[in-house]
Amino acid sequence: LPQEGPGSHKFCTALSASTFSGGTRTDGDDFYYPEGSTRFVAECDLPTDRGNFRLRAYNYRGAKVVVRDGENVLEWNEMDPVIIYKGNLRGNTKTVVRVHDQCYTSEVLGSKRCDCREQLELALDYINQHGGALIYMPQEGRGIGLANKIAAYQLQDGGLDTVDANRALGFGDDERDYACVPFMLNDMGIKGIRLMTNNPFKIRQLTELGVNIVGAKAHVIASNEFNAKYLRTKAARMAHALPDMESAVADDVLDTLALSSQARDAKLAAAALDVRWRFGKKSVETAAKAVAAGSVVLMVDGSAHNKGWLVASAAAISTGSLGLLNRFGDSVSVPLAQESVEAIESHWSDCSATYEGGEAPSAPRGVLDVRVDYLRRLAAAAAIATNAKASSVLEMLPPPLAAVLKERDTISTTDPRERTSETSAPHACKTWNNLQDDCIAQRLLPVRSKKDALLLPARSPCDAAVELARMARQAPVAVMSPLLDEQRLDSMSFAQIVEFSKERGFVITSVEDVVCYRSENFEVPSFFESTKKGT
């Protein structure tokens, strides 16, 4: 067992599992398993082709919980992580840090099946120029080891994607463990970090371990013909924020936009023909009405083994709704439409007052209240910026046509602060990177949904959630979380999701139903019109 000593970090937790290796038995029947013992080993200069760095070595021993044959099993884990850094980082509250996992096949053998080597080189180049740190974790193949990774590659050669290949071998989607990272950062004197990553799983793990993540920095690599499917899978099934692959079909999007309007609509409709109604048209309309009322709905994704998602609208979110997502879900994501992001960026002066909020509340508020307030301000800012963008388009039209359109489609907002910026000092532009940092500061994971991505082959639940918010006549900003089983270790099965919806009274629909509805109703759904006339 790891021994305590100078420079080490150790704590024990009572756990139970089907197998043990390295645990100790107490006087009773409980096993006590050392879950984390990290110690500093040595430090040296590291001159490289990409710059001169300092290298610190550590040793970690501990256990991690994995799922094997449906059971929770403790596996012993030993590794020697290192930190490559440049600059005086002690006391820094915004250090750019990359937590990078080993990839022998690309970093040593030059494989083009992934983007790991390019990510490593990009991070080192940035750190060499601007300072920062890279924590190198020897966790091959998302924690399954080199031999198993190659076995997964063989299955991928047969047609499976990277997620299904791991599952077919009996492994989880991601079995990496970052328990040693907090100690390493603390040992370096780093108080807060801007994490260089595209991976929400990594953000969530490090946050839960106590790492102070004050922002995130995108870490995007251009795809090649060999890793395009791999990156597409990470974006669509593992929620990686990859701007060029976020819609998972960058080339398809460009090809589609290049077509004429009639051919484009035909291609979009044809792309939706590979799906069928599951719960029916009524389920989409009922879900949209529920979302408009501030309720949480269930959405099933048939392309991801019927994985369930809890979905709500950011504009109508309440502490009760957000509490449901935290109680029954996992990490909370905030998908927002690409056009809303662009509108906020280009018309920040119109929506800045709403986004930034007014005076600070006199009484302290809970975490949920703060997050709900932020989500509502984000949705309101998106709506105001979109209106401002539409107004600017009208102003560019010939006067007679502009007058007719303005009279027919009056642009309005319920926020009284919409035009306060007209007489105020100019504001600095808010970019997507700024929005990402703000969301992550609230422990929320931002995701952009590209226009019409829902009707393309690699659609994701995020695209469907944004579309549902649109159908609810609200800003295209959603709030969602994957639905977990009672043990909070895995997703619910389809049967469990259906039973859960009945027991809890949740409206249930599917990504496929939203796709079918969208492909048949390119305009705003008509079911709100009857409601509006009756009020």
Side-chain angles (χ1 to χ4, degrees):
L1 294 177
Q3 300 297 315
E4 292 191 76
S8 67
H9 168 68
K10 178 179 179 180
F11 57 93
C12 295
T13 303
L15 297 172
S16 61
S18 58
T19 62
F20 291 89
S21 173
T24 58
R25 184 181 292 277
T26 65
D27 294 337
D29 293 329
D30 290 336
F31 269 94
Y32 281 80
Y33 217 85
E35 277 199 286
S37 177
T38 309
R39 66 184 181 89
F40 168 71
V41 178
E43 180 172 350
C44 68
D45 288 327
L46 182 67
T48 74
D49 292 338
R50 314 198 83 83
N52 297 326
F53 305 93
R54 294 286 291 174
L55 178 67
R56 291 174 67 86
Y58 294 81
N59 174 261
Y60 171 77
R61 298 180 180 182
K64 63 178 180 179
V65 179
V66 296
V67 179
R68 296 288 181 265
D69 298 324
E71 283 192 273
N72 299 333
V73 179
L74 287 174
E75 286 191 351
W76 185 249
N77 186 25
E78 295 187 17
M79 58 181 168
D80 295 324
V82 299
I83 294 183
I84 304 168
Y85 75 96
K86 190 166 188 175
N88 181 12
L89 308 181
R90 188 163 296 277
N92 199 317
T93 59
K94 294 183 179 180
T95 303
V96 173
V97 174
R98 165 75 179 165
V99 180
H100 185 88
D101 297 282
Q102 173 183 305
C103 181
Y104 181 88
T105 49
S106 71
E107 295 163 3
V108 178
L109 303 180
S111 169
K112 295 184 178 181
R113 299 185 68 131
C114 63
D115 60 344
C116 300
R117 177 176 59 83
E118 290 85 352
Q119 285 191 326
L120 175 63
E121 293 173 348
L122 180 64
L124 290 176
D125 287 342
Y126 182 91
I127 292 169
N128 182 48
Q129 294 179 23
H130 305 284
L134 183 143
I135 300 179
Y136 192 89
M137 304 286 291
Q139 302 187 106
E140 189 78 35
R142 299 202 299 277
I144 67 175
L146 181 58
N148 290 321
K149 173 182 172 180
I150 294 173
Y153 276 170
Q154 182 178 1
L155 294 177
Q156 291 174 44
D157 289 341
L160 296 184
D161 63 31
T162 181
V163 172
D164 287 335
N166 275 32
R167 292 176 178 178
L169 292 172
F171 298 109
D173 297 351
D174 197 327
E175 296 199 354
R176 291 173 289 188
D177 180 31
Y178 300 109
C180 60
V181 172
F183 173 83
M184 297 169 73
L185 292 172
N186 185 63
D187 187 53
M188 289 280 293
I190 297 173
K191 304 299 183 182
I193 70 171
R194 289 193 70 220
L195 189 63
M196 190 180 291
T197 186
N198 309 311
N199 184 0
F201 173 80
K202 191 175 292 184
I203 294 173
R204 177 169 62 85
Q205 266 216 4
L206 293 175
T207 299
E208 290 177 351
L209 288 168
V211 175
N212 180 24
I213 301 178
V214 299
K217 180 175 176 58
H219 200 58
V220 181
I221 303 298
S223 62
N224 61 51
E225 61 178 308
F226 302 102
N227 67 18
K229 180 180 178 181
Y230 167 75
L231 296 178
R232 185 177 298 121
T233 300
K234 290 208 297 184
R237 301 192 61 185
M238 302 176 75
H240 281 226
L242 303 174
D244 292 333
M245 300 294 294
E246 221 162 51
S247 66
V249 283
D251 292 336
D252 286 351
V253 171
L254 293 175
D255 292 341
T256 300
L257 294 178
L259 298 175
S260 66
S261 177
Q262 183 177 3
R264 178 170 173 268
D265 287 346
K267 180 172 181 177
L268 292 173
L273 293 179
D274 63 343
V275 296
R276 298 290 184 269
W277 293 100
R278 300 191 64 185
F279 298 101
K281 179 180 178 181
K282 187 68 174 178
S283 74
V284 179
E285 297 180 350
T286 305
K289 290 181 180 179
V291 165
S295 299
V296 176
V297 302
L298 279 175
M299 182 180 291
V300 178
D301 183 11
S303 66
H305 304 284
N306 290 317
K307 184 174 182 178
W309 292 84
L310 296 163
V311 178
S313 163
I317 193 75
S318 65
T319 53
S321 297
L322 189 57
L324 285 174
L325 267 67
N326 290 333
R327 179 182 176 187
F328 297 113
D330 198 355
S331 54
V332 178
S333 300
V334 182
L336 60 163
Q338 172 70 26
E339 57 266 31
S340 294
V341 175
E342 294 171 352
I344 291 174
E345 290 178 336
S346 60
H347 292 80
W348 174 241
S349 61
D350 293 277
C351 65
S352 59
T354 296
Y355 182 84
E356 293 171 350
E359 297 181 0
S362 56
R365 297 183 298 173
V367 174
L368 285 182
D369 292 316
V370 173
R371 289 178 184 168
V372 165
D373 177 64
Y374 171 74
L375 288 168
R376 287 179 174 176
R377 285 188 284 111
L378 174 60
I384 292 172
T386 301
N387 284 346
K389 186 175 182 180
S391 295
S392 64
V393 171
L394 286 177
E395 292 170 0
M396 296 172 61
L397 295 175
L401 181 58
V404 171
L405 291 177
K406 184 170 291 188
E407 182 179 355
R408 189 188 69 182
D409 299 318
T410 303
I411 299 169
S412 63
T413 175
T414 57
D415 197 304
R417 296 170 293 183
E418 177 186 356
R419 296 301 177 185
T420 57
S421 60
E422 292 180 358
T423 57
S424 60
H427 295 74
C429 178
K430 179 73 73 170
T431 66
W432 168 240
N433 287 337
N434 299 141
L435 292 175
Q436 284 182 298
D437 289 346
D438 293 345
C439 282
I440 291 171
Q442 297 292 336
R443 301 297 187 259
L444 303 169
L445 307 176
V447 182
R448 279 186 296 188
S449 174
K450 296 288 184 68
K451 186 176 181 180
D452 291 328
L454 182 68
L455 299 182
L456 292 168
R459 66 189 68 88
S460 75
C462 293
D463 303 317
V466 167
E467 185 62 29
L468 203 58
R470 280 199 188 97
M471 291 178 178
R473 295 289 184 84
Q474 296 177 344
V477 185
V479 187
M480 61 191 301
S481 179
L483 183 62
L484 298 180
D485 59 17
E486 291 184 359
Q487 289 74 36
R488 298 186 63 81
L489 293 172
D490 202 358
S491 302
M492 283 190 182
S493 66
F494 181 70
Q496 288 174 324
I497 293 172
V498 173
E499 185 63 27
F500 179 82
S501 70
K502 293 178 180 178
E503 290 179 356
R504 302 284 177 175
F506 283 106
V507 174
I508 186 170
T509 187
S510 72
V511 174
E512 292 75 20
D513 287 314
V514 176
V515 172
C516 290
Y517 199 101
R518 175 68 173 83
S519 65
E520 294 182 11
N521 296 270
F522 286 100
E523 301 300 326
V524 176
S526 59
F527 59 85
F528 272 97
E529 299 298 334
S530 58
T531 304
K532 183 177 180 181
K533 291 176 181 178
T535 57

